[in-house]
Amino acid sequence: MTAPPAFEILPFDPHSAPPELWAERHVFRRARHAQSGADEPPPSDAWFEALERQPSDFGRNVHWVARAEGRIVGIVGAFLPNPDQPDIQAALPHLHADGFVLEEWRRRGVGRRLLAEIHGLMTAHGKTLLTLVTDDADGHAFLSAIGADERLRSVDSRLTLDSVDWAMVEEWHAAMRRAVPGLTETIHAGEVPDAEFEAILPLHNALLPDLPRDRLDQPLIPVTMAMVLEWKRNIQFQQVEHYMVVLRDADGSVIGFSDVFWHPEMTDRVHQIVTGVRRDRRGLGVGKGLKAALLRHVRSARPSVRLMITRNAATNGPMLAINRQLGYAEHTILRTHQIDVAALGAALAR
């Protein structure tokens, strides 16, 4: 019998990592991309490095890599919230992490060893609950084996614009306008003004409790303008275009909004972000009308787009029903697992 190949665990700091380690990181992420079955191109090396070095007022990313045979074979990372930020105090006991081990290096202890670094991070910073998301069967099996509980299931769906029933879309849009007299519709193309975000945030935050969370233990953190401004800086840095439809009642109050992202490196698709409708305006077809208004605009403003991508909780029946009517097809199932710090430590000790 031969001993399994040895591996080492190293911290990866995007600001101080030497060029040779960055080169290994790029080789690894392209291999991860291929093994994940992603059908969109990975970002360029220069763009990815610049993005990883972007600072945040709300925390920092912490990474470790597993190296063997002169290359990176696994990675784990987490966003460590800034304890000095008053707006995110409720999130401080929580930690969200992400990791990946190359297929040929699985079941050799790499994942457990990487996760031990996350456990050390949790104990050092007083974190009590870890959240991890996977769309990979091996990842789900691994997380289940260490005792992480699946608490939320989400569906990534895709809509091919060539298959859309555009007559139905036009009827949805017209029906919304008939159902809500005095409705005002504003479309923002490329960038949403700060003043519009300020108008939308009260509704956005009021709708947070309506998001299906199943058994997920996660605090509701209201979005502030400081968060919005940092987020806008990030997407501007990435040259992302932000398209949003905002609906107002006859009295000028916001009753709904829906938005998508378009990236110049992926010109054939947009990613749906949020669709929200004020509670007293539900049941009138406003959700359908919002989706229709956004589809009509994307089709006109970005003729290169062939695909819309969205994600919803598997228990979000109303939105999934609208998506199915539009022609969205299920693409990927994501499972969100959680485990507390004590259980994680015990699992790693085993």
Side-chain angles (χ1 to χ4, degrees), residues 108-334:
R108 300 189 187 190
V110 177
R112 283 180 177 270
R113 183 61 187 83
L114 286 168
L115 208 51
E117 299 293 344
I118 294 296
H119 181 257
L121 186 71
M122 294 181 73
T123 56
H125 292 273
K127 307 300 179 186
T128 58
L129 190 66
L130 178 64
T131 301
L132 306 109
V133 181
T134 183
D135 62 356
D136 181 88
D138 282 352
H140 174 62
F142 171 74
L143 294 176
S144 297
I146 65 170
D149 185 23
E150 183 188 330
R151 297 187 177 180
L152 177 68
R153 192 168 292 192
S154 305
V155 182
D156 266 15
S157 304
R158 299 190 169 194
L159 174 65
T160 304
L161 265 61
D162 290 343
S163 67
V164 170
D165 181 345
W166 291 102
M168 180 187 72
V169 167
E170 292 297 332
E171 175 51 32
W172 282 9
H173 188 253
M176 173 186 69
R177 301 194 70 86
R178 291 194 299 268
V180 186
L183 180 72
T184 300
E185 179 181 311
T186 304
I187 297 177
H188 300 286
E191 182 180 355
V192 180
D194 294 349
E196 192 71 293
F197 271 111
E198 290 176 339
I200 292 167
L201 282 185
L203 175 59
H204 176 280
N205 292 333
L207 297 180
L208 287 177
D210 297 348
L211 293 173
R213 290 145 47 90
D214 295 357
R215 296 185 301 111
L216 195 65
D217 182 354
Q218 186 168 297
L220 296 176
I221 305 294
V223 177
T224 65
M225 275 305 296
M227 297 177 188
V228 169
L229 293 175
E230 179 174 288
W231 177 73
K232 285 187 69 174
R233 286 194 296 271
N234 286 337
I235 65 171
Q236 287 164 358
F237 168 80
Q238 298 175 55
Q239 298 181 311
V240 165
E241 293 186 5
H242 187 197
Y243 296 86
M244 178 182 281
V245 177
V246 181
L247 302 180
R248 284 179 167 82
D249 228 331
D251 63 2
S253 60
V254 177
I255 66 168
F257 59 93
S258 187
D259 59 343
V260 296
F261 284 151
W262 178 87
H263 195 285
E265 290 189 5
M266 293 172 280
T267 58
D268 68 331
R269 63 197 62 200
V270 292
H271 291 261
Q272 176 87 59
I273 310 304
V274 178
T275 298
V277 178
R278 204 171 69 193
R279 295 186 188 100
D280 66 333
R281 287 302 191 179
R282 294 175 185 172
L284 301 174
V286 176
K288 288 182 176 181
L290 269 170
K291 290 269 193 178
L294 199 55
L295 268 170
R296 294 165 80 242
H297 180 69
V298 167
R299 186 190 192 194
S300 170
R302 284 291 171 193
S304 64
V305 172
R306 295 288 179 268
L307 201 63
M308 290 191 75
I309 301 171
T310 190
R311 178 178 298 178
N312 303 98
T315 53
N316 190 349
M319 192 56 67
L320 288 173
I322 292 175
N323 289 342
R324 281 193 294 270
Q325 284 182 270
L326 278 172
Y328 275 94
E330 180 183 301
H331 181 71
T332 307
I333 298 294
L334 296 99

Side-chain angles (χ1 to χ4, degrees), residues 7-31:
F7 58 87
E8 61 176 342
I9 305 297
L10 298 173
F12 186 95
D13 183 346
H15 302 284
S16 61
E20 56 271 20
L21 191 57
W22 262 116
E24 290 182 23
R25 175 81 186 274
H26 292 310
V27 171
F28 169 81
R29 69 183 180 86
R30 284 189 283 270

